[in-house]
Amino acid sequence: MIGYSPAGRRAIRLQEPVTSGSLLVRCDLWLADHREEPELPFAWADRGWRLWQYAANQTEGDGAFGDASRTIAGVSHCDRNLFAGDAPALYRFWNGRAGTA
């Protein structure tokens, strides 16, 4: 089913929930979950997430899953992304060779 978002952009809506046997579950999950720990959709429970988008109020004292990055005056709780793997696996993933990660 294809619908339209309030902004007039084309959006895709699923007709039924995604299950563990769904073709969609074969895709890597980029999970947007802004809590302290991500909650996986049931269908991905066995695979986990590949990328996790979260919000962080990062300061020098709170590195939020890594070393503190450059700060921008007046900006807090910025969305960040965490990759489930090391740097070489991330490069393989971005280059389309995710199966070797």
Side-chain angles (χ1 to χ4, degrees):
M1 170 188 233
I2 297 178
Y4 291 92
S5 68
R9 294 185 199 155
R10 195 169 146 168
I12 296 173
R13 300 182 194 279
L14 300 175
Q15 293 180 1
E16 56 189 59
V18 177
T19 65
S20 59
S22 170
L23 179 64
L24 187 58
V25 177
R26 294 181 190 171
C27 300
D28 290 319
L29 180 63
W30 190 331
L31 179 64
D33 190 335
H34 296 97
R35 293 175 279 204
E36 290 295 316
E37 292 292 326
E39 184 176 316
L40 280 171
F42 175 76
W44 278 269
D46 292 338
R47 291 195 58 197
W49 51 267
R50 180 63 71 150
L51 291 151
W52 170 32
Q53 178 184 350
Y54 64 96
N57 188 15
Q58 189 170 334
T59 64
E60 290 295 326
D62 176 15
F65 303 106
D67 297 331
S69 62
R70 288 181 255 144
T71 58
I72 300 170
V75 177
S76 66
H77 293 88
C78 297
D79 283 359
R80 297 187 62 191
N81 293 285
L82 185 65
F83 177 74
D86 58 12
L90 176 62
Y91 292 125
R92 288 191 302 271
F93 178 72
W94 285 137
N95 286 318
R97 295 186 302 272
T100 61

